[in-house]
């Protein structure tokens, strides 16, 4: 067990659906600590860097188009095992499979528009926090 920091983002669909407060409430209720937060519209260059691991995948162009399509809310959260705890609260990538009670399970139906992003490892968290808050 380790105290960790992780990067979480309300994606443009989450902002459009009015879910910023709902997303924040779930992480706060769990006992995680909000360390930093900023609202911004991601430029294409930043999107390419953030999602660099997916470059070349068939869905990459639509992923970049989507994540740059409107404002997002970028956040740093901390707490015990924060990386995996945040991923559990979010639910699995495909909302069709995400369990009820998770953010993606409760508020999304399409894999391309799944409300939130969360870092998948402490290394990804450090990289992504550097992109958005460095
Ligand atoms: P996660 O966001 O759960 O970490 P990921 O890193 O594998 O998932 O993918 C990043 C985002 O890309 C994901 O939130 C939604 C989109 N995506 C992933 N796989 C996809 C697919 N097969 N078709 C369309 N979009 C996809
Ligand atoms: Mg990912």
């Amino acid at each position: 067990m380790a105290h960790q920091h992780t990067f979480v983002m309300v994606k443009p669909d989450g902002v459009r659906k009015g879910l910023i407060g709902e997303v924040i409430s779930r992480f706060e209720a769990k006992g995680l600590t909000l360390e930093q937060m900023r609202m911004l519209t991601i430029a294409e260059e930043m999107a390419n860097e953030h999602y660099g691991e997916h470059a070349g995948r068939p869905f990459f162009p639509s992923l970049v188009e989507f994540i740059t399509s409107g404002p997002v809310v970028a956040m740093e959260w901390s707490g015990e095992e924060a990386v995996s705890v945040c991923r559990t609260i979010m639910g699995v990538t495909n909302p069709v499979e995400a369990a009820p009670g998770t953010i993606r399970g409760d508020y999304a139906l399409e894999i391309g528009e799944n409300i939130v992003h969360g870092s998948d490892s402490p290394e990804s968290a450090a990289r992504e926090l550097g992109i958005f808050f460095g």
Side-chain angles (χ1 to χ4, degrees):
M1 301 286 278
H3 184 88
Q4 296 173 339
H5 290 239
T6 191
F7 176 69
V8 173
M9 174 167 65
V10 184
K11 297 183 182 182
D13 58 328
V15 174
R16 282 193 281 268
K17 287 178 166 175
L19 294 172
I20 299 168
E22 178 65 30
V23 170
I24 291 173
S25 290
R26 289 177 179 227
F27 293 115
E28 282 187 323
K30 184 66 176 173
L32 295 157
T33 301
L34 181 57
E35 302 279 358
Q36 300 194 73
M37 176 164 71
R38 68 183 274 232
M39 191 171 202
L40 71 155
T41 300
I42 298 177
E44 190 174 335
E45 189 177 72
M46 192 179 195
N48 287 334
E49 188 180 4
H50 174 67
Y51 279 129
E53 65 174 311
H54 299 301
R57 300 265 193 99
F59 61 85
F60 186 72
S62 59
L63 178 60
V64 170
E65 187 179 352
F66 164 65
I67 207 68
T68 59
S69 67
V72 301
V73 176
M75 295 171 281
E76 176 178 358
W77 288 88
S78 71
E80 195 66 23
E81 297 296 317
V83 171
S84 63
V85 166
C86 285
R87 297 275 292 188
T88 300
I89 291 168
M90 288 163 47
V92 297
T93 305
N94 189 345
V96 166
E97 296 162 3
T102 66
I103 294 168
R104 287 165 168 174
D106 288 349
Y107 296 112
L109 199 55
E110 290 179 42
I111 192 166
E113 301 201 359
N114 58 11
I115 310 289
V116 280
H117 168 85
S119 307
D120 62 10
S121 67
E123 294 72 28
S124 297
R127 189 182 76 83
E128 293 167 0
L129 287 169
I131 294 172
F132 285 85
F133 296 107

